[in-house]
Amino acid sequence: MRRDVSSDFIKKLDVEKLSKLTYIPENRIIGAIERKTLQYVHAKPELFRFDKPISNIEAGTSVFLEPFDIVRGFPKISRILMLHPGVAKHFSTIKTVLVEEKMNGYNVRVALIGDRILGITRGGYVCPYTTDKINDVISGDFFIDFPDLVLCGEMVGPDNPYVPKSFYDIESLEFFAFDIREKITGRPLPVMKRRELLAGYGIKSVRLFGEFEVSETHIKVEKIIRDFGKTLNEGVVIKDPDMQLSPIKYTSSQSNCADLRYAFEFYNDYGRDFFFPRVCREAFQSVEWDEDDTQRKERCHRLGESILLPMTRTIENRKKGERIGEIVQIRIKDLKTADDFQDHLRLLGIDAIFEEPISIGNEFIIKIKKINHSTSDKTDSVFKGEMWS
Ligand code: ATP
Ligand code: MG
């Protein structure tokens, strides 16, 4: 039975062409479809997405069917926990690096497929809301000149249905580019070439802090992060100017704790994966920055509060009978986008309640409550006296 369903999907895909372009043998592609590692997405436009990496093709790669096209997934960026000697070791074969701001929103790849400019999220889905917004904020001229390039960037701002908290001074939702890559190969453009090209089309780039000698970058980055102070700026991404070596990321304690505060509000939905690596980051940063007793205690305090305050608040709210969920909002011109976005969330398996649209000028704001069932259920079970495990 399962084989029949799979073969229906396979018929839609030009397996031979995909194999030629990705160097994945045809039988592996077919096997991946059967195992759903290469997943058919029944939406408009129809596509297949790589749920996991296969050979050297990243998870999140999308394969469009009509017209046939491939947009490579956005590669993972490794993290260093100690600037020294992490930076020097990773970039030992080059002289200087460029340091860009790491912005905190959601990753989107923007590509021209057929005659439409689409917003593709990290997992390789086309998001109807992002697509709508991106067509508002960037000029299509870029794609007239470069139909085979993909703009990669962060969607940032308060009208953000995926990463709700935003501290940047942005009215709705904006796109900040941090990469331009070739559609099919995923090959990136050199950093300065990319920034100049984008400026020519009026497309915003993430902030550039400067070009630094590799040997002094750890000192410069420490200063940049310290200068963020109590703001929630997330961190930096350190890049080879030619983009031959892969970039690395380094983040601030403030943003680390903000992530924890968010995750522990929905402790049984996110808490576990968030917890351990973030504690390790705090420990290494504290040692590298040579903190004295007072500074270290302050860090402990911040870390502890980021975990226990949101969690106790959640438990209390549930005790009062509240449904645990996060509230996000979208801002749209056409109510149809909200319907499409609702279908999209359903496709992702997210349970969400859409409130009545609030009309503002020629736009609508819709608040969306995403329900975190796992946290509610776990809390209830503890209230009923059930064992934790
Ligand atoms: P990973 O990229 O390792 O899968 P993740 O999904 O948890 O990790 P983050 O820890 O947020 O993501 O770090 C990587 C992400 O940072 C990128 O996917 C991108 O969306 C975002 N980002 C923000 N600013 C930049 C920038 N200047 N250069 C590259 N990526 C950036
Ligand atoms: Mg991020």
Side-chain angles (χ1 to χ4, degrees), residues 102 104 154 234:
K102 180 178 193 308
N104 191 4
E154 201 79 349
E234 196 182 5

Side-chain angles (χ1 to χ4, degrees), residues 243-302:
M243 289 294 286
Q244 301 279 341
L245 300 173
S246 57
I248 50 179
K249 60 190 178 194
Y250 185 76
T251 50
S252 73
S253 172
Q254 305 293 341
S255 97
N256 194 30
C257 289
D259 285 356
L260 287 169
R261 275 197 295 279
Y262 168 78
F264 275 92
E265 202 175 328
F266 315 110
Y267 66 90
N268 216 49
D269 291 82
Y270 303 99
R272 274 162 227 262
D273 293 348
F274 265 72
F275 183 63
F276 185 62
R278 281 177 173 78
V279 174
C280 298
R281 289 178 209 169
E282 292 294 330
F284 278 100
Q285 193 172 71
S286 176
V287 171
E288 178 161 34
W289 292 9
D290 211 9
E291 288 176 334
D292 60 22
D293 260 12
T294 322
Q295 290 165 320
R296 193 158 290 165
K297 283 236 166 74
E298 229 173 75
R299 191 185 282 272
C300 295
H301 200 117
R302 183 163 67 232

Side-chain angles (χ1 to χ4, degrees), residues 10-36:
I10 294 170
K11 269 188 234 140
K12 292 182 181 260
L13 181 67
D14 191 337
V15 175
E16 194 186 332
K17 195 165 176 179
L18 181 61
S19 167
K20 274 215 179 91
L21 292 168
T22 57
Y23 304 102
I24 307 173
E26 287 186 35
N27 59 352
R28 271 200 80 185
I29 295 178
I30 291 166
I33 296 173
E34 283 173 351
R35 282 190 308 277
K36 299 213 166 83

Side-chain angles (χ1 to χ4, degrees), residues 70-310:
I70 299 174
V71 175
R72 289 284 288 269
F74 189 79
K76 281 194 82 62
I77 300 181
S78 309
R79 174 185 297 277
I80 36 169
L81 290 203
M82 271 190 161
L83 289 162
H84 183 70
V87 179
K89 182 160 186 264
H90 183 77
F91 294 108
S92 65
T93 54
I94 59 174
K95 280 213 140 40
T96 64
V97 287
L98 290 163
V99 176
E100 286 188 324
E101 177 169 2
K102 180 178 193 308
M103 295 190 84
N104 191 4
Y106 65 99
N107 182 299
V108 57
R109 281 160 292 139
V110 186
L112 182 71
I113 306 296
D115 58 2
R116 288 192 67 205
I117 296 172
L118 301 178
I120 305 163
T121 52
R122 192 77 200 271
Y125 293 94
V126 172
C127 166
Y129 176 63
T130 309
T131 297
D132 191 64
K133 292 301 250 190
I134 205 75
N135 278 279
D136 265 2
V137 297
I138 66 167
S139 122
D141 295 352
F142 177 85
F143 291 105
I144 297 175
D145 298 340
F146 302 104
D148 295 326
L149 294 182
V150 179
L151 296 179
C152 311
E154 201 79 349
M155 286 300 250
V156 182
D159 298 327
N160 181 332
Y162 300 112
V163 179
K165 305 221 166 61
S166 171
F167 66 95
Y168 303 95
D169 186 19
I170 289 171
E171 205 198 331
S172 178
L173 191 63
E174 282 184 31
F175 176 78
F176 292 87
F178 48 66
D179 247 335
I180 297 181
R181 292 177 177 262
E182 286 174 10
K183 242 188 211 171
I184 292 175
T185 64
R187 206 177 298 132
L189 252 56
V191 176
M192 292 318 291
K193 190 169 168 195
R194 175 243 300 166
R195 297 184 67 93
E196 280 153 25
L197 190 64
L198 289 167
Y201 289 88
I203 298 170
K204 288 191 182 136
S205 288
V206 293
R207 171 157 51 145
L208 174 67
F209 288 107
E211 180 163 15
F212 307 116
E213 297 284 327
V214 169
S215 58
E216 59 169 23
T217 300
H218 62 286
I219 302 164
K220 301 286 185 187
V221 170
E222 181 176 328
K223 174 151 179 15
I224 293 167
I225 302 280
R226 282 189 191 277
D227 286 351
F228 286 159
K230 290 209 165 27
T231 66
L232 289 180
N233 292 71
E234 196 182 5
V236 298
V237 183
I238 307 167
K239 299 181 178 178
D240 167 6
D242 289 330
M243 289 294 286
Q244 301 279 341
L245 300 173
S246 57
I248 50 179
K249 60 190 178 194
Y250 185 76
T251 50
S252 73
S253 172
Q254 305 293 341
S255 97
N256 194 30
C257 289
D259 285 356
L260 287 169
R261 275 197 295 279
Y262 168 78
F264 275 92
E265 202 175 328
F266 315 110
Y267 66 90
N268 216 49
D269 291 82
Y270 303 99
R272 274 162 227 262
D273 293 348
F274 265 72
F275 183 63
F276 185 62
R278 281 177 173 78
V279 174
C280 298
R281 289 178 209 169
E282 292 294 330
F284 278 100
Q285 193 172 71
S286 176
V287 171
E288 178 161 34
W289 292 9
D290 211 9
E291 288 176 334
D292 60 22
D293 260 12
T294 322
Q295 290 165 320
R296 193 158 290 165
K297 283 236 166 74
E298 229 173 75
R299 191 185 282 272
C300 295
H301 200 117
R302 183 163 67 232
L303 180 64
E305 283 200 343
S306 313
I307 294 167
L308 283 184
L309 287 184

Side-chain angles (χ1 to χ4, degrees), residues 340-359:
D340 293 344
F341 187 61
Q342 201 157 14
D343 290 343
H344 179 67
L345 289 183
R346 218 168 279 137
L347 186 75
L348 299 180
I350 295 172
D351 189 4
I353 300 167
F354 282 54
E355 285 183 7
E356 282 303 308
I358 304 161
S359 156

